[in-house]
Amino acid sequence: MSTQQTHTQDKMNKPLISFIITYYNLPLDYLKKCIDSILALSLSSEEREIILVDDGSDTSPINELKAYCDQIIYLRQTNQGLSVARNTGISIAKGDFIQFVDGDDYLNRSAYEHCLDIVRFNDVDVVLFQSSHRVGNNQQTVFNDSPKPMTGTEYMRNNNLRVAAWGYLFCRTLLMSLRFTPDTLHEDEEFTPQLFLRAEKIIETSAVAYFYRKRDNSIIHNKDKKWIIKRLSDTENIIYKLSLLADRSPEKDRSALQRRVAQLTMDYLYNTIVLTKSEVHLNKAIEKLHQKGLFPLPDKNYTKKYVWFRRLLNNATGRKLLLRILPLKRR
């Protein structure tokens, strides 16, 4: 990995937050808006650390970022994927907290300021906020926060976890040896549950603090057959890893992980239906899960969607119906 650093952080001044921006072949105006949204926050240069990891873009953006050189740490590496890019950022981050930001996204100032206030005035491990891809949703000024902080285990036992790694601000010391698995799609599915289990104090806020762009050429929307197979295969492997972790965990963590495994398994089977439209693929996926003791899905009332989806999956007629009607059209 070749490294170019354009700003040296004073080691005596520990930043409050390290913002890790990952970038790969994105429009420069997106990246500049991303950086500007961080610079607009009420953080002094000593309180913030902006780490931009260029994951081997065809052309380095650094010449177009001269106005930011005193404000950022720029690292360029050979293309190795999002997981490695984030791990690179983690390896040099010095902030008490870490915030991941994709290079084409940005922070909504007033809402994110609310998250900063939570960090400043509470002894907290994770601040979990809302996100949106709709531009008009960044005008929020009133925030309805959860009535009380809870542990990560409590949160996972009672909620469907939003796993996007940019969807929360977290204390760097929670990481210990935890890193993103390289060459894996949906790496957040493996990373976030393990991070949350380590959190003693999570505060959830209704603040829509993060704007993410929906792009047709993103990994999620890739329709290439090889990508679909890898996407499903990687999700399957993560399910097995989290299931094994649940089996080895204390009871209080086990039930939290079991809910996440069940939810992820449901999502995996849903995506198998939507992406392949194949009864053969669906039945093969179910058979493999059954051999691992992960099917049928647990008989739990996690959500209404989970309950009806589980019931339809449990018989051949229901599976044929799901193959015919999914994905459901939004009204």
Side-chain angles (χ1 to χ4, degrees):
M1 179 182 72
S2 63
T3 302
Q4 179 178 359
Q5 185 165 321
T6 61
H7 173 68
T8 301
Q9 179 70 43
D10 184 353
K11 294 182 179 180
M12 298 301 293
N13 296 324
K14 189 177 181 181
L16 176 64
I17 301 177
S18 293
F19 296 92
I20 299 176
I21 303 173
T22 49
Y23 172 87
Y24 177 71
N25 286 350
L26 296 170
L28 281 169
D29 57 334
Y30 288 179
L31 178 59
K32 290 178 179 179
K33 186 174 182 64
C34 176
I35 297 172
D36 285 339
S37 73
I38 298 172
L39 293 175
L41 298 172
S42 61
L43 291 166
S44 67
S45 57
E46 290 77 22
E47 291 178 305
R48 69 169 180 259
E49 179 181 56
I50 303 175
I51 301 169
L52 172 59
V53 183
D54 175 6
D55 186 37
S57 297
D58 294 341
T59 302
S60 168
I62 192 61
N63 289 333
E64 304 298 326
L65 300 176
K66 291 180 180 178
Y68 302 99
C69 282
D70 291 337
Q71 306 286 346
I72 67 173
I73 299 170
Y74 174 74
L75 301 172
R76 180 170 170 83
Q77 64 181 27
T78 56
N79 180 245
Q80 299 172 74
L82 178 60
S83 290
V84 176
R86 284 176 173 168
N87 290 342
T88 297
I90 289 172
S91 69
I92 67 166
K94 298 181 178 67
D96 291 330
F97 288 82
I98 287 178
Q99 173 68 63
F100 292 113
V101 191
D102 288 351
D104 52 345
D105 300 340
Y106 60 84
L107 305 178
N108 293 323
R109 181 176 179 179
S110 61
Y112 202 85
E113 290 287 358
H114 181 65
C115 299
L116 292 178
D117 286 343
I118 294 174
V119 167
R120 286 169 174 143
F121 302 112
N122 295 270
D123 181 18
V124 65
D125 291 323
V126 176
V127 178
L128 182 62
F129 48 75
Q130 307 296 315
S131 61
S132 176
H133 65 276
R134 302 182 186 279
V135 176
N137 283 4
N138 63 357
Q139 305 300 319
Q140 183 186 21
T141 56
V142 178
F143 311 105
N144 179 27
D145 291 349
S146 60
K148 68 179 183 66
M150 63 181 72
T151 66
T153 299
E154 290 175 313
Y155 185 86
M156 288 174 60
R157 278 204 304 258
N158 295 287
N159 297 274
N160 282 350
L161 187 61
R162 304 192 302 273
V163 297
W166 44 253
Y168 50 86
L169 179 63
F170 68 94
C171 185
R172 183 167 57 91
T173 57
L174 291 180
L175 284 170
M176 295 181 281
S177 62
L178 179 63
R179 296 294 185 272
F180 293 91
T181 300
D183 193 32
T184 301
L185 300 179
H186 302 296
E187 56 282 316
D188 298 359
E189 293 282 5
E190 181 181 4
F191 177 88
T192 298
Q194 295 183 76
L195 185 77
F196 272 48
L197 287 179
R198 302 173 183 191
E200 292 298 324
K201 189 174 183 181
I202 289 179
I203 292 182
E204 184 176 19
T205 172
S206 65
V208 183
Y210 191 99
F211 176 87
Y212 66 95
R213 297 183 191 273
K214 296 184 71 174
R215 294 184 292 118
D216 292 337
N217 62 340
S218 67
I219 289 175
I220 297 251
H221 295 95
N222 196 322
K223 302 301 182 183
D224 180 78
K225 185 176 180 180
K226 290 183 178 179
W227 277 101
I228 289 174
I229 293 173
K230 179 170 175 55
R231 178 180 175 182
L232 294 174
S233 176
D234 285 355
T235 303
E236 181 184 352
N237 288 333
I238 291 169
I239 289 170
Y240 297 155
K241 286 182 180 180
L242 293 180
S243 176
L244 183 61
L245 180 61
D247 291 341
R248 296 173 175 176
S249 296
E251 176 57 35
K252 66 180 182 67
D253 292 343
R254 188 180 308 138
S255 60
L257 273 172
Q258 285 172 339
R259 173 169 180 153
R260 185 59 209 156
V261 168
Q263 185 66 39
L264 184 55
T265 303
M266 185 189 82
D267 292 343
Y268 164 65
L269 293 174
Y270 176 93
N271 286 326
T272 298
I273 293 170
V274 171
L275 295 174
T276 70
K277 285 295 182 181
S278 166
E279 186 175 3
V280 172
H281 277 86
L282 177 60
N283 288 334
K284 283 184 177 179
I286 287 175
E287 177 58 27
K288 290 174 74 175
L289 290 168
H290 180 72
Q291 291 174 1
K292 296 283 187 178
L294 295 169
F295 191 89
L297 294 171
D299 186 7
K300 301 285 187 179
N301 294 321
Y302 291 141
T303 64
K304 290 182 179 179
K305 178 182 177 181
Y306 177 89
V307 170
W308 73 257
F309 192 77
R310 177 187 178 277
R311 287 173 179 170
L312 288 174
L313 277 175
N314 280 346
N315 61 82
T317 302
R319 293 172 200 170
K320 291 181 184 296
L321 178 62
L322 288 170
L323 283 161
R324 188 166 68 249
I325 67 173
L326 293 180
L328 297 175
K329 293 182 178 180
R330 293 185 178 180
R331 297 181 181 275

